[in-house]
Amino acid sequence: MAGLDAVIPAWRAERGWVERAVRSAAACVRAAGGGRVVVVDDGSPEPVVADAAWTAASAEGGGASVRVELEVVRQANAGPSSARNAGLDRTTSGWVLLLDADDEAIVDGVMSMLRMGEADHRMGCVVGGREHVREGMEAIAHPVPPEWSGRALPHPGDVFRPISLFSGTGCLVARSVLTAGVRFEEGMRIGEDRDFFRKCAEVGSIGVCGAMVVRYTVHGQGQNLSSSRHLERRIADHATLCDRWCDDGSRAHFDAATRWLFNAAAKGRVSGPAWETLMSAARRHGLTVPIKARVRRWMRLARAGEGG
């Protein structure tokens, strides 16, 4: 194998979460024959500090010949994309595992992804199934679509399909992609994962592994960036994605996402400029503007005396 590194961005993550992520990433790196785990502290109020437990996790099992180097890097708060990029710039192995600080990599699944990527050097990244875990509830499996399992993604535009498969946690990125200069868009906060995968597809194919590869922590309402309180930022980033990637292979996915955003915006209290941003993107790309959403917004504004 070409070796494996792991990158874990962290911001205000509970210490137990980060330790779990580090242990799981170290186990994956060890199973791949060695490498490094890079934790990037994105300016957390309480700095992330590696302790004896983390150091021990990087040395567990595998024999003396298998080395896992643990590095903790601290930077001023600049967002998750910046933290991931900082970690990616510190990697050297043939493949890099991306893992969020509150998630847990599944070793067998990651190894399945790695074997898939190694078997076809045209692949720029590999994704797999995930288990969504909410506190106090049983894990819910989110398997890959069966028609994609064990093969390359049919069309690059499918990364915009509205499923959780294309997330920047629990995926593998090939060195060829990083050498080509592909990085996360630091000015984007919602949708940057999809943008990253689409850029990866410009360099190599995207492999879809049928194994479960990560346990993804689902937080309460309002904590995730996809929640309603982040709707205006989501609209702005959606418009950017439309302008950058909307084509015949992705139009249906963008159309569905645009309709959802219109309905959410009509129910919520988004500003006039945010609404117009969404309207303009829909016009530019011939995407659906639901009549009910327009009527709902007009009625709400009329009741509030804000005009049409």
Side-chain angles (χ1 to χ4, degrees):
M1 290 186 177
L4 178 67
D5 293 335
V7 170
I8 304 173
W11 182 73
R12 301 186 70 173
E14 292 185 11
R15 183 162 189 82
W17 291 348
V18 183
E19 181 176 341
R20 181 186 62 185
V22 168
R23 284 182 173 274
S24 68
C28 293
V29 171
R30 237 181 356 262
R36 64 169 43 181
V37 176
V38 183
V39 179
V40 182
D41 177 4
D42 188 40
S44 299
E46 292 293 327
V48 174
V49 179
D51 61 12
W54 294 14
T55 304
S58 66
E60 290 174 354
S65 61
V66 179
R67 178 177 175 80
V68 179
E69 179 183 348
L70 175 60
E71 179 182 9
V72 179
V73 179
R74 182 171 171 82
Q75 66 175 28
N77 180 252
S81 291
S82 173
R84 285 172 176 161
N85 289 342
L88 290 172
D89 289 341
R90 287 168 169 78
T91 62
T92 58
S93 292
W95 291 89
V96 179
L97 169 67
L98 293 175
L99 185 68
D100 285 352
D102 53 354
D103 297 334
E104 180 181 10
I106 300 172
V107 179
D108 289 345
V110 172
M111 291 303 101
S112 293
M113 286 199 298
L114 189 56
R115 286 191 293 270
M116 186 176 185
E118 288 283 273
D120 185 349
H121 293 289
R122 294 171 297 179
M123 288 188 178
C125 61
V126 187
V127 298
R130 54 197 59 227
E131 297 177 357
H132 286 199
V133 182
R134 190 186 296 271
E135 186 176 0
M137 301 177 65
E138 292 186 5
I140 300 176
H142 286 248
V144 305
E147 68 271 21
W148 290 353
S149 182
R151 55 178 292 202
L153 195 67
H155 189 282
D158 286 327
V159 301
F160 297 105
R161 182 170 169 175
I163 56 177
S164 63
L165 184 63
F166 303 104
S167 168
T169 182
C171 68
L172 289 184
V173 181
R175 176 58 45 190
S176 58
V177 165
L178 303 179
T179 301
V182 176
R183 296 293 187 275
F184 286 88
E185 186 74 36
E186 297 190 8
M188 188 176 289
R189 295 298 294 272
I190 302 175
E192 77 280 5
D193 294 348
R194 308 292 179 125
D195 178 72
F196 178 79
F197 282 116
R198 184 61 183 82
K199 287 189 286 190
C200 287
E202 297 292 289
V203 179
S205 59
I206 298 176
V208 183
C209 177
M212 291 289 161
V213 303
V214 65
R215 295 186 181 94
Y216 173 85
T217 301
V218 180
H219 297 290
Q221 180 67 25
Q223 296 186 50
N224 289 327
L225 277 176
S226 58
S227 66
S228 58
R229 71 189 184 94
H230 296 286
L231 189 56
E232 293 205 7
R233 183 56 187 264
R234 186 168 184 170
I235 288 172
D237 287 347
H238 175 74
T240 298
L241 290 174
C242 285
D243 290 343
R244 188 173 292 175
W245 300 117
C246 187
D247 58 17
D248 290 343
S250 60
R251 190 174 307 280
H253 304 319
F254 277 112
D255 195 68
T258 301
R259 282 187 276 110
W260 186 94
L261 281 170
F262 268 118
N263 288 320
K267 293 176 184 177
R269 292 184 174 274
V270 300
S271 66
W275 179 266
E276 183 54 35
T277 293
L278 190 56
M279 286 289 294
S280 296
R283 294 190 195 104
R284 285 194 300 274
H285 302 287
L287 304 174
T288 302
V289 181
I291 294 176
K292 285 186 178 181
R294 298 184 69 171
V295 171
R296 182 193 294 269
R297 179 172 172 82
W298 180 86
M299 291 179 64
R300 185 181 65 77
L301 294 179
R303 285 196 299 268
E306 299 176 32

